[in-house]
């Protein structure tokens, strides 16, 4: 009995000794591979927010609620090729006149408008497309200035009393009467309506919804009228 008790105590002592023993080695363990992997992971979003970041476009728009059409300084209509300034809304008592978001365009794709044209951004954008795709190819890239006969104007069509208000009254239209080339030469619609101007004129059909030039109706012998009216049907190009 005494011997059996001694064996039992010995087993307990061994068990206790095992329980007290460290479960892991006392030697430093090699750094697990996973730690290296974690270092390579991208910083959490909270860390990224501490870095200075470029100001988002929306923030610029919020601080300038009246000027949402501007992209960079000097550009309008969200198009860096269209230079000018944004104007206050043009409000008219005459039904059919006024522009909610007018722009005063001074140049388009490097071509000056003289004088600067007051139009809306639909017209300015169409003008930019035509200058790139129609006008400059017709003139082998030589046009440096458009002579503008009219842009925004609250008046009846063809200045005839009783007519409907012209698209000029909505900023949808621009009249061009001349083209100045790099050489300094000026070609006018009135005196030089030859192949080059005719090709440039016709190339605008579709980009603009209505075009009227020499030979159309007797009112457009010295200028070409371009407009982006929302009239239905096919473009009217004369
Ligand atoms: Zn016109």
């Amino acid at each position: 009995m005494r011997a059996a008790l001694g064996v039992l105590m010995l087993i307990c002592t061994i068990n206790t000794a095992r329980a007290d023993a460290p479960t892991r080695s006392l030697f430093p363990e090699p750094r697990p591979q996973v730690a290296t992997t974690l270092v390579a992971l991208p910083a959490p979003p909270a860390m990224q927010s501490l870095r200075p970041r470029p100001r988002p476009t929306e923030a610029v728009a919020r601080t300038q609620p009246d000027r949402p059409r501007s992209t960079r300084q000097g550009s309008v209509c969200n198009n860096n090729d269209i230079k000018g300034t944004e104007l206050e809304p043009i409000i008219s008592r005459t039904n059919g006149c006024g522009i909610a978001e007018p722009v005063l365009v001074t140049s388009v794709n490097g071509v000056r408008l003289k004088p600067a044209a007051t139009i809306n951004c639909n017209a300015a954008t169409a003008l930019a497309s035509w200058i790139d795709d129609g006008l400059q190819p017709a003139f082998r890239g030589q046009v440096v200035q458009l002579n503008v006969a009219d842009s925004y104007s609250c008046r009846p069509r063809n200045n005839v009393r009783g007519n409907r208000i012209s698209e000029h009254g909505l900023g949808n239209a621009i009249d061009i009467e001349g083209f100045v080339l790099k050489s300094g030469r000026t070609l006018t619609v009135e005196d030089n309506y030859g192949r080059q101007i005719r090709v440039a004129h016709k190339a605008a059909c579709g980009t603009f919804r209505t075009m009227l030039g020499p030979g159309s109706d007797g009112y457009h012998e010295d200028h070409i009228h371009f407009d982006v009216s929302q009239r239905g049907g096919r473009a009217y190009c004369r």
Side-chain angles (χ1 to χ4, degrees):
M1 183 65 190
R2 190 180 177 88
L5 189 64
V7 169
L8 184 63
M9 285 180 69
L10 182 62
I11 289 169
C12 286
T13 306
I14 291 168
N15 280 346
T16 304
R18 278 183 183 164
D20 291 345
T23 53
R24 287 196 270 167
S25 165
L26 292 173
F27 291 103
E29 291 179 6
R31 184 175 287 220
Q33 193 64 36
V34 67
T36 310
T37 309
L38 281 173
V39 169
L41 286 173
M47 296 292 286
Q48 286 182 341
S49 70
L50 295 174
R51 294 179 196 159
R53 312 186 81 181
R55 181 185 283 224
T57 312
E58 301 100 89
V60 177
R62 274 200 300 275
T63 56
Q64 297 179 330
D66 294 329
R67 302 185 180 282
R69 287 150 282 147
S70 175
T71 47
R72 294 180 188 173
Q73 195 167 23
S75 298
V76 292
C77 302
N78 293 312
N79 186 328
N80 290 329
D81 291 333
I82 305 175
K83 303 297 183 191
T85 53
E86 291 154 0
L87 304 175
E88 295 300 315
I90 297 173
I91 298 161
S92 173
R93 289 181 184 175
T94 304
N95 202 16
C97 288
I99 313 177
E101 296 182 337
V103 287
L104 182 67
V105 179
T106 53
S107 80
V108 179
N109 299 352
V111 176
R112 278 189 310 276
L113 300 191
K114 189 178 178 183
T118 300
I119 48 182
N120 62 32
C121 280
N122 287 340
T125 303
L127 193 61
S129 296
W130 171 62
I131 286 174
D132 259 6
D133 303 335
L135 176 71
Q136 291 292 27
F139 283 88
R140 296 182 180 180
Q142 294 296 303
V143 177
V144 295
Q145 178 178 302
L146 293 177
N147 291 343
V148 177
D150 199 9
S151 53
Y152 174 76
S153 177
C154 183
R155 60 172 173 79
R157 286 181 180 177
N158 303 325
N159 283 311
V160 175
R161 267 181 85 172
N163 274 3
R164 278 183 57 185
I165 295 293
S166 165
E167 290 296 326
H168 286 278
L170 294 171
N172 281 335
I174 185 167
D175 291 343
I176 307 294
E177 64 181 4
F179 307 83
V180 180
L181 309 182
K182 276 181 188 166
S183 65
R185 188 178 173 208
T186 297
L187 299 176
T188 67
V189 173
E190 185 169 25
D191 296 328
N192 308 106
Y193 192 76
R195 192 189 65 81
Q196 277 184 311
I197 297 180
R198 185 160 44 242
V199 168
H201 174 187
K202 301 304 177 195
C205 188
T207 302
F208 288 94
R209 299 289 299 152
T210 301
M211 291 153 41
L212 298 164
S216 60
D217 60 2
Y219 291 100
H220 298 83
E221 297 305 306
D222 60 358
H223 70 275
I224 304 170
H225 167 99
F226 301 90
D227 80 50
V228 290
S229 61
Q230 295 304 303
R231 187 176 54 76
R234 293 171 62 185
Y236 185 86
C237 308
R238 296 291 186 276

